[in-house]
Amino acid sequence: APGGNASLRVNLNNEVNNYTALQFKLILPPGITLVTDGGEASCQLSPRFTDSNQPFYITEIYNDEQGAAYRVMSVSPSLSPISGNNGLLFILPVCADDHASTGSFTGQLQDIVFIDVDAKESFLDNTSFNLNLTEETAVMEINSDSTKHDDAIYNLAGQRVIAPKQGIYIVNGKKRVVKW
């Protein structure tokens, strides 16, 4: 939804099991960007990356009314391959700005290159994906008049009680103990 976050999950289904590096261009539609932490885009690597120190680099190419584009790169310093032939590769957090239009939009991965342990490059076809932005349905804000009290009594489960017995109750937003 506009103003919300989501996860872009990137999977790799391949015949080769010894890729150690990758790079591609990520193009997102207008109003959608990667989530950043202190100016750095974050990424969650799948356990398929066997090098626990494998760095992941994301650089913004542009971000304008046409959308946002990023160069995404990763290489294993120890030349440890990505394990397994199929499944999740990484997760990129994306966010929609507060004024993003709702609807279905297309993003793309372009110029996809994987490099194996022998430095052989494999060029993959460009691929596209759909992002759907819908109207938000969550409650964003609740306003109350904190000076109004109805002296109603509630149990700890939030149920209204007419005749309280011994126990703990909520009266005007505060816990009260009833003793006999």
Side-chain angles (χ1 to χ4, degrees), residues 62-178:
Y62 64 80
N63 187 355
D64 57 24
E65 65 279 348
Q66 302 300 314
Y70 303 88
R71 173 63 61 196
V72 178
M73 299 170 280
S74 182
V75 63
S76 169
S78 64
L79 296 179
S80 297
I82 298 169
S83 67
N85 290 338
N86 301 307
L88 180 67
L89 201 55
F90 50 85
I91 300 171
L92 294 168
V94 295
C95 62
D97 69 34
D98 291 337
H99 305 292
S101 300
T102 58
S104 183
F105 302 94
T106 301
Q108 295 183 4
L109 297 180
Q110 297 179 344
D111 308 326
I112 306 166
V113 180
F114 281 81
I115 303 166
D116 68 17
V117 293
D118 298 319
K120 180 184 173 202
E121 295 179 336
S122 296
F123 298 89
L124 282 67
D125 292 335
N126 293 343
T127 187
S128 59
F129 55 90
N130 291 325
L131 293 167
N132 296 308
L133 262 67
T134 59
E135 283 297 321
E136 190 157 346
T137 58
V139 175
M140 296 304 292
E141 183 177 343
I142 298 175
N143 294 314
S144 70
D145 180 1
S146 61
T147 60
K148 182 179 176 183
H149 300 287
D150 61 4
D151 292 326
I153 301 170
Y154 298 90
N155 64 19
L156 294 178
Q159 300 163 325
R160 190 168 184 160
V161 176
I162 302 300
K165 299 184 180 356
Q166 185 175 357
I168 301 172
Y169 296 91
I170 310 286
V171 180
N172 293 329
K174 295 184 181 189
K175 289 181 186 173
R176 301 284 184 227
V177 178
V178 175

Side-chain angles (χ1 to χ4, degrees), residues 43-64:
C43 172
Q44 179 183 345
L45 296 178
S46 132
R48 292 180 66 190
F49 285 89
T50 56
D51 183 349
S52 60
N53 295 318
Q54 182 149 348
F56 210 81
Y57 305 100
I58 302 173
T59 345
E60 186 175 87
I61 300 171
Y62 64 80
N63 187 355
D64 57 24

